[in-house]
Coordinates of all heavy atoms in Angstrom, one line a residue:
D30 N -19.1 42.1 35.5 CA -19.7 43.3 35.9 C -18.8 44.1 36.9 O -18.5 45.3 36.7 CB -21.1 43.1 36.4 CG -21.9 44.4 36.5 OD1 -22.0 45.1 35.5 OD2 -22.3 44.7 37.7
S31 N -18.2 43.3 37.8 CA -17.3 43.9 38.8 C -16.0 44.4 38.1 O -15.5 45.5 38.5 CB -17.0 42.9 39.9 OG -18.1 42.5 40.6
E32 N -15.5 43.6 37.2 CA -14.3 44.0 36.5 C -14.6 45.3 35.7 O -13.7 46.2 35.6 CB -13.8 42.9 35.5 CG -13.2 41.7 36.3 CD -12.8 40.6 35.4 OE1 -13.3 40.5 34.2 OE2 -11.9 39.8 35.8
L33 N -15.7 45.4 35.0 CA -16.0 46.6 34.2 C -16.1 47.8 35.1 O -15.7 48.9 34.7 CB -17.3 46.4 33.5 CG -17.2 45.6 32.2 CD1 -18.5 45.2 31.6 CD2 -16.5 46.5 31.1
K34 N -16.7 47.7 36.3 CA -16.7 48.8 37.2 C -15.3 49.3 37.6 O -15.1 50.5 37.6 CB -17.5 48.4 38.5 CG -19.0 48.3 38.3 CD -19.7 47.8 39.5 CE -21.2 47.6 39.2 NZ -21.9 47.0 40.3
E35 N -14.4 48.4 37.8 CA -13.0 48.7 38.1 C -12.4 49.4 36.9 O -11.7 50.4 37.0 CB -12.2 47.5 38.6 CG -12.6 47.0 39.9 CD -12.4 48.1 41.0 OE1 -11.3 48.7 41.0 OE2 -13.3 48.2 41.8
V36 N -12.6 48.8 35.7 CA -12.0 49.4 34.5 C -12.5 50.8 34.3 O -11.8 51.7 33.9 CB -12.2 48.5 33.3 CG1 -11.9 49.2 32.0 CG2 -11.4 47.2 33.4
N37 N -13.8 51.0 34.5 CA -14.4 52.3 34.3 C -13.8 53.3 35.3 O -13.5 54.5 34.9 CB -15.9 52.3 34.5 CG -16.6 51.7 33.3 OD1 -16.1 51.7 32.1 ND2 -17.8 51.1 33.5
K38 N -13.6 52.9 36.5 CA -13.0 53.8 37.5 C -11.5 54.2 37.1 O -11.1 55.3 37.1 CB -12.9 53.1 38.9 CG -14.2 53.2 39.7 CD -13.9 52.8 41.1 CE -14.5 51.5 41.4 NZ -14.2 51.0 42.8
D39 N -10.8 53.2 36.6 CA -9.4 53.4 36.1 C -9.4 54.3 34.9 O -8.5 55.2 34.8 CB -8.7 52.1 35.8 CG -8.5 51.3 37.1 OD1 -8.5 51.8 38.2 OD2 -8.2 50.0 36.9
C40 N -10.3 54.1 34.0 CA -10.4 55.0 32.8 C -10.7 56.4 33.2 O -10.1 57.4 32.7 CB -11.5 54.5 31.8 SG -11.1 53.1 30.9
Q41 N -11.6 56.6 34.1 CA -11.9 57.9 34.6 C -10.7 58.6 35.3 O -10.4 59.8 35.1 CB -13.1 57.9 35.6 CG -13.6 59.2 36.0 CD -14.8 59.1 37.0 OE1 -15.3 58.0 37.3 NE2 -15.4 60.2 37.3
Y42 N -10.0 57.8 36.1 CA -8.8 58.3 36.7 C -7.7 58.7 35.7 O -7.1 59.8 35.8 CB -8.2 57.2 37.7 CG -7.0 57.7 38.4 CD1 -7.1 58.6 39.4 CD2 -5.8 57.1 38.1 CE1 -5.9 59.0 40.1 CE2 -4.6 57.5 38.8 CZ -4.7 58.4 39.8 OH -3.6 58.8 40.4
L43 N -7.5 57.9 34.7 CA -6.5 58.2 33.6 C -7.0 59.4 32.8 O -6.1 60.2 32.4 CB -6.3 57.0 32.7 CG -5.5 55.9 33.3 CD1 -5.3 54.7 32.4 CD2 -4.1 56.4 33.8
R44 N -8.3 59.6 32.6 CA -8.7 60.8 31.8 C -8.4 62.0 32.7 O -8.0 63.1 32.1 CB -10.2 60.7 31.5 CG -10.5 59.8 30.3 CD -12.0 60.0 29.9 NE -13.0 59.6 30.9 CZ -13.4 58.3 31.0 NH1 -13.0 57.4 30.2 NH2 -14.3 58.0 31.9
G45 N -8.6 61.9 34.0 CA -8.2 63.0 34.9 C -6.7 63.4 34.8 O -6.3 64.5 34.8
L46 N -5.9 62.3 34.8 CA -4.5 62.5 34.7 C -4.1 63.1 33.4 O -3.2 63.9 33.3 CB -3.7 61.2 34.9 CG -3.7 60.6 36.3 CD1 -3.0 59.2 36.4 CD2 -3.0 61.6 37.3
T47 N -4.8 62.7 32.3 CA -4.5 63.2 31.0 C -4.8 64.7 30.9 O -4.1 65.5 30.3 CB -5.3 62.4 29.9 OG1 -4.9 61.1 30.0 CG2 -5.0 62.9 28.5
K48 N -5.9 65.1 31.5 CA -6.3 66.5 31.5 C -5.3 67.3 32.3 O -4.9 68.4 31.9 CB -7.7 66.7 32.2 CG -8.8 66.3 31.2 CD -10.1 66.5 31.9 CE -11.3 66.1 31.1 NZ -12.6 66.2 31.7
R49 N -4.8 66.7 33.4 CA -3.9 67.4 34.3 C -2.4 67.5 33.7 O -1.8 68.5 33.8 CB -3.9 66.7 35.6 CG -3.2 67.6 36.7 CD -3.2 67.0 38.1 NE -4.6 66.8 38.5 CZ -5.0 66.0 39.5 NH1 -4.2 65.2 40.1 NH2 -6.3 65.9 39.8
Y50 N -2.0 66.3 33.2 CA -0.6 66.2 32.8 C -0.3 66.0 31.3 O 0.8 65.9 30.9 CB 0.1 65.1 33.6 CG 0.0 65.3 35.1 CD1 -0.8 64.5 35.8 CD2 0.8 66.3 35.7 CE1 -0.9 64.7 37.2 CE2 0.7 66.5 37.1 CZ -0.1 65.7 37.8 OH -0.2 65.8 39.2
G51 N -1.3 66.0 30.5 CA -1.1 65.8 29.1 C -1.3 64.3 28.6 O -1.8 63.5 29.3
A52 N -0.9 64.1 27.3 CA -1.3 62.9 26.7 C -0.4 61.7 27.1 O -0.4 60.6 26.4 CB -1.1 63.1 25.2
H53 N 0.4 61.8 28.1 CA 1.3 60.8 28.6 C 0.5 59.5 28.9 O 1.1 58.4 28.7 CB 2.1 61.2 29.8 CG 3.0 60.2 30.3 ND1 4.1 59.8 29.7 CD2 2.9 59.5 31.5 CE1 4.7 58.9 30.4 NE2 4.0 58.6 31.5
W54 N -0.7 59.5 29.3 CA -1.5 58.4 29.7 C -2.4 57.8 28.6 O -3.2 56.9 28.8 CB -2.4 58.8 30.9 CG -1.6 59.4 32.0 CD1 -1.5 60.7 32.3 CD2 -0.8 58.7 32.9 NE1 -0.6 60.9 33.3 CE2 -0.2 59.7 33.7 CE3 -0.4 57.4 33.1 CZ2 0.7 59.4 34.8 CZ3 0.4 57.1 34.1 CH2 1.0 58.0 34.9
D55 N -2.3 58.3 27.4 CA -3.1 57.9 26.3 C -3.0 56.4 25.9 O -4.0 55.7 25.6 CB -2.9 58.7 25.0 CG -3.5 60.1 25.1 OD1 -4.4 60.3 26.0 OD2 -3.2 60.9 24.2
K56 N -1.7 55.9 25.9 CA -1.5 54.5 25.6 C -2.2 53.6 26.6 O -2.9 52.6 26.3 CB 0.0 54.2 25.6 CG 0.3 52.8 25.1 CD 1.8 52.6 25.0 CE 2.1 51.2 24.6 NZ 3.6 50.9 24.5
A57 N -2.0 53.9 27.9 CA -2.7 53.1 29.0 C -4.2 53.2 28.9 O -4.9 52.2 29.0 CB -2.2 53.6 30.3
L58 N -4.7 54.4 28.5 CA -6.1 54.6 28.4 C -6.7 53.8 27.2 O -7.8 53.2 27.3 CB -6.5 56.1 28.2 CG -7.9 56.5 28.3 CD1 -8.5 56.1 29.7 CD2 -8.0 58.1 28.2
K59 N -5.9 53.8 26.1 CA -6.4 53.0 25.0 C -6.4 51.5 25.3 O -7.3 50.8 24.9 CB -5.4 53.3 23.8 CG -5.8 52.6 22.5 CD -4.8 52.9 21.4 CE -5.2 52.2 20.1 NZ -4.3 52.4 19.0
Q60 N -5.4 51.0 26.0 CA -5.4 49.6 26.4 C -6.6 49.3 27.4 O -7.2 48.3 27.2 CB -4.1 49.3 27.1 CG -3.8 47.9 27.3 CD -2.4 47.6 27.8 OE1 -1.7 48.5 28.2 NE2 -2.0 46.3 27.8
L61 N -6.9 50.2 28.3 CA -8.0 50.0 29.2 C -9.3 50.0 28.4 O -10.2 49.2 28.7 CB -8.1 51.1 30.2 CG -7.3 50.8 31.5 CD1 -7.4 52.0 32.4 CD2 -7.7 49.5 32.2
R62 N -9.5 50.8 27.4 CA -10.7 50.8 26.6 C -10.8 49.5 25.8 O -11.9 49.0 25.6 CB -10.6 52.0 25.6 CG -10.9 53.3 26.3 CD -11.0 54.5 25.3 NE -11.2 55.7 26.0 CZ -10.6 56.9 25.7 NH1 -9.7 56.9 24.7 NH2 -10.8 58.0 26.4
S63 N -9.7 49.0 25.4 CA -9.7 47.7 24.7 C -10.2 46.6 25.6 O -11.0 45.7 25.3 CB -8.3 47.3 24.1 OG -8.3 46.0 23.6
I64 N -9.7 46.6 26.8 CA -10.1 45.6 27.9 C -11.6 45.8 28.2 O -12.3 44.8 28.3 CB -9.2 45.8 29.1 CG1 -7.8 45.3 28.9 CG2 -9.9 45.0 30.3 CD1 -6.8 45.6 30.0
K65 N -12.0 47.0 28.3 CA -13.4 47.3 28.5 C -14.3 46.8 27.4 O -15.3 46.1 27.7 CB -13.6 48.9 28.7 CG -15.0 49.3 28.9 CD -15.2 50.8 29.0 CE -16.6 51.2 29.2 NZ -16.8 52.6 29.3
T66 N -13.9 46.9 26.2 CA -14.7 46.4 25.1 C -14.8 44.9 25.1 O -15.9 44.4 24.9 CB -14.1 46.9 23.7 OG1 -14.0 48.3 23.7 CG2 -14.9 46.4 22.5
Q67 N -13.7 44.3 25.4 CA -13.7 42.8 25.5 C -14.6 42.3 26.6 O -15.4 41.4 26.5 CB -12.3 42.3 25.8 CG -11.3 42.4 24.6 CD -9.9 42.1 25.0 OE1 -9.6 41.8 26.1 NE2 -9.0 42.3 24.0
K68 N -14.5 43.0 27.8 CA -15.3 42.6 28.9 C -16.8 42.9 28.7 O -17.7 42.1 29.0 CB -14.9 43.3 30.2 CG -13.5 43.1 30.6 CD -13.3 41.7 31.2 CE -11.9 41.4 31.6 NZ -11.6 40.1 32.0
E69 N -17.1 44.0 28.0 CA -18.5 44.3 27.7 C -19.1 43.3 26.7 O -20.2 42.8 26.9 CB -18.6 45.7 27.1 CG -18.5 46.8 28.1 CD -18.5 48.2 27.5 OE1 -18.1 48.3 26.3 OE2 -18.8 49.1 28.2
H70 N -18.3 42.9 25.7 CA -18.7 41.9 24.8 C -19.0 40.5 25.5 O -20.0 39.9 25.2 CB -17.7 41.7 23.7 CG -18.0 40.6 22.7 ND1 -19.0 40.8 21.7 CD2 -17.6 39.4 22.5 CE1 -19.2 39.7 21.0 NE2 -18.3 38.8 21.4
A71 N -18.1 40.1 26.4 CA -18.3 38.9 27.1 C -19.5 38.9 28.0 O -20.3 38.0 28.1 CB -17.1 38.5 27.9
R72 N -19.7 40.1 28.7 CA -20.9 40.2 29.5 C -22.2 40.2 28.7 O -23.2 39.6 29.1 CB -20.8 41.5 30.3 CG -22.0 41.7 31.3 CD -21.8 43.0 32.1 NE -22.0 44.1 31.3 CZ -22.0 45.4 31.7 NH1 -21.8 45.6 33.0 NH2 -22.1 46.4 30.9
K73 N -22.1 40.8 27.5 CA -23.3 40.8 26.6 C -23.6 39.4 26.2 O -24.8 39.0 26.1 CB -23.0 41.7 25.4 CG -24.2 41.9 24.5 CD -23.9 42.9 23.4 CE -25.2 43.2 22.6 NZ -24.9 44.2 21.5
E74 N -22.6 38.6 25.9 CA -22.8 37.2 25.5 C -23.4 36.4 26.6 O -24.4 35.6 26.4 CB -21.5 36.5 25.1 CG -21.1 36.6 23.7 CD -19.9 35.8 23.4 OE1 -18.8 36.1 23.9 OE2 -20.1 34.8 22.6
V75 N -22.9 36.6 27.9 CA -23.5 35.9 29.0 C -24.9 36.3 29.2 O -25.8 35.4 29.4 CB -22.7 36.2 30.3 CG1 -23.4 35.7 31.6 CG2 -21.3 35.6 30.2
T76 N -25.2 37.6 29.1 CA -26.6 38.1 29.3 C -27.5 37.4 28.2 O -28.6 37.0 28.5 CB -26.6 39.6 29.2 OG1 -25.8 40.1 30.2 CG2 -28.0 40.1 29.3
M77 N -27.0 37.4 27.0 CA -27.8 36.8 25.9 C -28.2 35.4 26.2 O -29.3 34.9 26.0 CB -27.1 37.0 24.6 CG -27.9 36.4 23.4 SD -26.9 36.4 21.9 CE -25.7 35.2 22.2
N78 N -27.2 34.6 26.6 CA -27.4 33.2 26.9 C -28.3 33.0 28.1 O -29.2 32.1 28.1 CB -26.1 32.5 27.1 CG -25.4 32.1 25.8 OD1 -25.8 31.1 25.2 ND2 -24.5 32.9 25.3
L79 N -28.2 33.8 29.1 CA -29.1 33.7 30.3 C -30.5 34.1 29.9 O -31.5 33.4 30.3 CB -28.6 34.6 31.4 CG -27.4 34.1 32.2 CD1 -26.9 35.1 33.2 CD2 -27.7 32.8 32.9
D80 N -30.6 35.1 29.0 CA -32.0 35.4 28.5 C -32.6 34.3 27.7 O -33.8 34.1 27.7 CB -31.9 36.7 27.7 CG -31.6 38.0 28.5 OD1 -31.8 37.9 29.8 OD2 -31.3 39.0 28.0
L81 N -31.8 33.6 26.9 CA -32.3 32.5 26.1 C -32.8 31.4 27.0 O -33.8 30.8 26.8 CB -31.2 31.9 25.2 CG -30.9 32.8 24.0 CD1 -29.7 32.2 23.2 CD2 -32.1 32.9 23.1
F82 N -32.1 31.1 28.1 CA -32.6 30.1 29.1 C -34.0 30.6 29.6 O -34.9 29.8 29.7 CB -31.6 30.0 30.3 CG -30.5 29.0 30.0 CD1 -29.2 29.5 30.1 CD2 -30.7 27.7 29.8 CE1 -28.1 28.6 29.8 CE2 -29.7 26.8 29.5 CZ -28.4 27.3 29.6
K83 N -34.1 31.9 30.0 CA -35.3 32.4 30.5 C -36.4 32.3 29.5 O -37.6 32.1 29.8 CB -35.1 33.9 31.0 CG -34.3 34.0 32.2 CD -34.1 35.5 32.6 CE -33.0 35.6 33.6 NZ -32.7 37.1 33.8
L84 N -36.1 32.6 28.2 CA -37.0 32.6 27.2 C -37.6 31.2 26.9 O -38.8 31.0 26.7 CB -36.4 33.1 25.9 CG -37.2 33.1 24.6 CD1 -38.3 34.2 24.7 CD2 -36.4 33.4 23.4
H85 N -36.8 30.2 27.0 CA -37.2 28.8 26.7 C -37.8 28.1 27.9 O -38.5 27.1 27.8 CB -36.1 28.0 26.1 CG -35.7 28.5 24.8 ND1 -36.4 28.2 23.6 CD2 -34.7 29.3 24.3 CE1 -35.8 28.7 22.6 NE2 -34.8 29.4 23.0
L86 N -37.6 28.6 29.1 CA -38.1 28.0 30.3 C -39.6 27.8 30.4 O -40.1 26.7 30.6 CB -37.6 28.7 31.6 CG -37.9 28.0 32.9 CD1 -37.3 26.6 33.0 CD2 -37.4 28.9 34.0
P87 N -40.4 28.8 30.1 CA -41.9 28.6 30.1 C -42.3 27.6 29.1 O -43.2 26.8 29.5 CB -42.4 30.0 29.7 CG -41.3 31.0 30.1 CD -40.1 30.2 29.8

Side-chain angles (χ1 to χ4, degrees):
D30 195 55
S31 296
E32 287 176 339
L33 278 167
K34 287 176 183 173
E35 289 300 314
V36 169
N37 284 333
K38 278 194 253 178
D39 292 344
C40 284
Q41 186 177 4
Y42 180 72
L43 286 178
R44 280 192 298 272
L46 289 176
T47 300
K48 284 181 183 177
R49 191 176 300 159
Y50 299 109
H53 179 71
W54 307 102
D55 283 348
K56 185 176 178 184
L58 191 56
K59 183 177 179 182
Q60 193 172 8
L61 273 177
R62 286 182 182 138
S63 174
I64 292 170
K65 179 181 176 180
T66 301
Q67 292 170 359
K68 300 290 181 183
E69 285 174 336
H70 178 71
R72 184 177 66 176
K73 188 175 183 177
E74 272 189 291
V75 169
T76 301
M77 181 186 69
N78 279 279
L79 287 172
D80 288 345
L81 286 173
F82 278 118
K83 291 175 190 173
L84 178 69
H85 292 281
L86 185 61

